[in-house]
Amino acid sequence: MAARVTMPEGRFMLAFPMLLFFGAFFVAPLLLLVAVSFFDDPDITVPGLSQYTGFLSDAFNWRVLGQTLLLGVKVVACTTLLAYPIALLFLAAGPRLRRVLLMLILVPLLTSVVVRTFAWIVLLSREGVVNSLLLSLGIVGAPVQLLHTELGLIIALMQIELPLMLLPLVSVMARLDPNVVAASQALGAGSWRTLVRVILPLSLPGYAAGVLLVFASSTAAFVSQSVIGGGRLIYMPLFVYQQATTLYNWPFAAAISVILVLAISLVAFGINHLGRSARGNIHG
Amino acid sequence: MADGARRGLDLDLWSYRILLGLLGMLALVIMVGPVLIVLAISFTADSSMRFPPSGFSLRWYEALFDPVRSSQIHRAAINTVQVGLWATAIGTLLALLAALALARARGVAARSADTLFVTPLMLPQISFAVAALVFFSMIGFEAAKPAIVIGHVVVCVPLVYKTISASLSQLDPALIESSASLGASRLRTFRRITLPIILPGIGAGAFLLFMASKDNVAVSLFLSDARTNMLPIRMWQMLEGTLDVRVAAVSGVLILATLVLMLAMERFVRISDRLR
């Protein structure tokens, strides 16, 4: 009996090293970041709000922030179009095919983002695969400029972020009770009706998780944004990088970082809320 | 009537299957194709990166493995592997201990710690990278490589923590209780019962942590100095510059290594089951 009382406490001590590590190297730096953002000068001597007021009063900054969040939304939408067919294929597949599909999802996931970005430089160039495909299908008459455009960036990010959308979606599909689908069909609902009324609603929690991951990752996808987007399209991560490492304006870089975290958290909160109310609708 | 309904059902079923099959295949091609195209280009005989290549050669691999011409790439690769191994060792140990402590714990403190340990996954890495840069500079921590290891542990450790926690949650508590009631000490129970059962989960998590560390851009970019170039950053510089075809060869090596490691991990720890 005595062992039962002391055991949980003794075991809890094992979390101490990780707590200490996170406290020192995760929580402390983030608190410092917030603190630094409330200074007016690059030397961090005069406290004040000028970084935030400066950021918010400049239309250029708003455009960069808006462009970044919008990029995330567009990438999420495009990724959805690719992710659902694969997830539904996974749902219909037997155990062996499911394993093959999971391995196929792993290949791009474990391949460096830089490598995948590099692939899209080749694919999107004037003589690249995408252009020759568009030409041979007669969709365009002459090669179109895709590199250094937002469209090219969205196409590339759609593939680069796809595994992040698929993992939570596929895990929901794996747990989906096959009897529910069978019941829907036995009751006379066709395949399309079953998809819209049963499978899609049940997959929403996984989809919401995927949306969060893709949104957070594509708004922060620095390498793709700078290499494929080119110099004319500026997004928040590059903006932070310029301020921190080439201009050494830490308070401003810190303020932009805090604003980026807040903006992403706000969107994440919204998505979570939507996901929860959608789940409520299914069961209630 | 019945006949008409039946035909309707068939149309419904077949239109669903055909459309799903076509779209699914297309999506799979878009997902995996680019990786295969990079692999193909790495064997090009051309001096520019075209697809399809005009001929097969190993010239870019020869250039890549040339110790003189590619010494910077080699140094970056060595740094990346070193940092990855350190981060994996430290991160896996911390995560294992924490997961053992918090498995099945229901208190508010335990749940908060659990949430804290996976937070880095949701936070934009760039924000943490700026924070780490400011933090290490202000406390006067000059050594770039240890700082990068610490940064990688923070942003990658949630992967291994989640994987180990998942295998612990599948562990039958009755096994632990019977081991204890048969008189085994807690250390002995851990060594003989818990560890063997969760070992594949630990292996899979450590693998994911290493892979994430070797691909990390944000943290490495902010914390590395001139002497500690990391491979993804080096490759990025090569992409921004004059499109050096050796990038394709580096990518080829990375892709082949990833495929081999992935198949090995699938064989030993069923990595595909642990992603969910």
Side-chain angles (χ1 to χ4, degrees):
Chain A
M1 275 297 133
R4 232 163 226 274
V5 176
T6 53
M7 206 173 95
E9 278 177 15
R11 219 180 43 162
F12 198 72
M13 290 297 286
L14 292 176
F16 213 66
M18 181 109 144
L19 276 172
L20 217 58
F21 191 90
F22 262 64
F25 300 120
F26 182 63
V27 179
L30 288 177
L31 291 178
L32 185 66
L33 183 81
V34 175
V36 164
S37 75
F38 288 107
F39 279 87
D40 285 353
D41 58 325
D43 297 324
I44 315 176
T45 50
V46 189
L49 288 170
S50 74
Q51 306 302 343
Y52 290 95
T53 52
F55 182 92
L56 298 175
S57 62
D58 189 342
F60 173 79
N61 300 330
W62 280 99
R63 223 182 52 226
V64 173
L65 179 62
Q67 200 163 266
T68 308
L69 297 179
L70 209 58
L71 176 74
V73 172
K74 289 174 185 168
V75 172
V76 164
C78 294
T79 312
T80 305
L81 294 179
L82 291 183
Y84 260 104
I86 297 181
L88 292 172
L89 222 54
F90 179 88
L91 181 67
R96 194 175 296 173
L97 187 58
R98 282 188 172 190
R99 249 180 108 183
V100 173
L101 284 173
L102 280 170
M103 297 299 278
L104 287 179
I105 297 170
L106 264 181
V107 172
L109 183 73
L110 296 181
T111 307
S112 160
V113 170
V114 182
V115 173
R116 283 181 278 163
T117 301
F118 161 55
W120 283 100
I121 294 180
V122 179
L123 288 167
L124 293 173
S125 70
R126 280 191 162 268
E127 307 82 43
V129 175
V130 175
N131 257 318
S132 40
L133 205 68
L134 290 177
L135 281 172
S136 65
L137 290 174
I139 298 174
V140 294
V144 281
Q145 171 81 33
L146 288 168
L147 274 180
H148 308 316
T149 66
E150 198 198 17
L151 178 66
L153 180 59
I154 291 170
I155 294 176
L157 282 177
M158 172 174 89
Q159 185 259 345
I160 290 171
E161 308 294 349
L162 182 56
L164 291 181
M165 172 79 79
L166 272 170
L167 285 183
L169 203 51
V170 153
S171 94
V172 165
M173 293 294 183
R175 276 178 314 211
L176 200 145
D177 185 353
N179 292 326
V180 178
V181 176
S184 161
Q185 276 163 351
L187 290 172
S191 309
W192 291 104
R193 211 175 142 82
T194 304
L195 172 70
V196 175
R197 302 295 293 272
V198 179
I199 300 174
L200 291 186
L202 285 175
S203 71
L204 277 183
Y207 178 63
V211 167
L212 278 183
L213 288 173
V214 171
F215 183 80
S217 170
S218 57
T219 46
F222 217 119
V223 180
S224 316
Q225 285 169 4
S226 82
V227 176
I228 296 179
R232 278 179 301 129
L233 295 164
I234 293 191
Y235 298 99
M236 290 289 274
L238 197 69
F239 199 35
V240 177
Y241 178 62
Q242 283 172 350
Q243 295 297 328
T245 60
T246 53
L247 303 173
Y248 289 102
N249 192 349
W250 284 355
F252 191 54
I256 315 174
S257 307
V258 171
I259 290 171
L260 184 65
V261 173
L262 288 179
I264 290 179
S265 314
L266 212 65
V267 176
F269 180 79
I271 293 168
N272 232 334
H273 191 75
L274 280 180
R276 209 162 285 163
S277 58
R279 238 172 305 174
N281 284 342
I282 303 165
H283 298 299
Chain B
M1 270 315 264
D3 218 34
R6 205 185 141 74
R7 212 167 305 139
L9 204 62
D10 277 352
L11 182 69
D12 174 87
L13 185 65
W14 286 108
S15 67
Y16 180 78
R17 282 194 180 166
I18 290 171
L19 204 65
L20 176 64
L22 284 177
L23 286 177
M25 282 316 209
L26 181 69
L28 284 174
V29 167
I30 294 176
M31 182 172 75
V32 185
V35 178
L36 300 180
I37 284 176
V38 169
L39 196 57
I41 290 175
S42 70
F43 294 105
T44 187
D46 310 331
S47 4
S48 70
M49 289 184 275
R50 257 191 318 202
F51 186 83
S54 67
F56 174 89
S57 90
L58 291 174
R59 59 184 285 204
W60 297 110
Y61 283 93
E62 279 164 23
L64 176 65
F65 287 110
D66 188 303
V68 182
R69 274 189 296 163
S70 300
S71 63
Q72 281 187 316
I73 301 178
H74 294 184
R75 211 167 318 133
I78 292 169
N79 284 337
T80 300
V81 172
Q82 276 180 347
V83 166
L85 291 177
W86 275 107
T88 306
I90 298 170
T92 307
L93 184 65
L94 289 175
L96 172 64
L97 294 176
L100 284 170
L102 300 181
R104 286 177 227 285
R106 287 276 162 264
V108 178
R111 289 305 96 201
S112 316
D114 190 70
T115 308
L116 174 68
F117 295 157
V118 295
T119 308
L121 276 187
M122 301 311 296
L123 197 78
Q125 272 193 24
I126 184 132
S127 298
F128 169 71
V130 178
L133 171 70
V134 173
F135 176 75
F136 284 126
S137 308
M138 285 178 101
I139 63 170
F141 193 91
E142 297 280 323
K145 221 183 265 182
I148 299 175
V149 170
I150 291 172
H152 281 197
V153 171
V154 170
V155 296
C156 306
V157 84
L159 296 169
V160 63
Y161 175 74
K162 275 173 66 176
T163 323
I164 297 177
S165 299
S167 20
L168 276 171
S169 71
Q170 279 158 7
L171 183 73
D172 187 353
L175 284 175
I176 310 291
E177 277 161 32
S178 38
S179 169
S181 65
L182 290 171
S185 71
R186 273 174 42 208
L187 192 62
R188 193 176 157 86
T189 303
F190 174 73
R191 267 195 9 237
R192 302 295 293 270
I193 311 281
T194 312
L195 191 59
I197 294 178
I198 66 170
L199 202 55
I202 299 174
F207 172 69
L208 292 176
L209 197 161
F210 180 80
M211 298 306 271
S213 161
K214 80 155 177 36
D215 291 340
N216 185 284
V217 173
V219 173
S220 301
L221 183 67
F222 278 83
L223 296 183
S224 59
D225 57 20
R227 282 178 304 124
T228 45
N229 207 343
M230 306 291 283
L231 193 58
I233 312 287
R234 180 82 210 140
M235 290 173 72
W236 181 11
Q237 288 161 350
M238 289 164 86
L239 288 183
E240 296 266 27
T242 49
L243 265 191
D244 187 335
V245 187
R246 281 178 304 172
V247 173
V250 184
S251 304
V253 172
L254 285 177
I255 292 169
L256 290 173
T258 303
L259 288 177
V260 169
L261 283 174
M262 205 180 83
L263 291 174
M265 293 313 281
E266 181 65 12
R267 172 94 177 66
F268 294 119
V269 302
R270 275 257 186 171
I271 190 93
S272 64
D273 281 349
R274 295 178 194 284
L275 293 168
R276 312 196 214 125

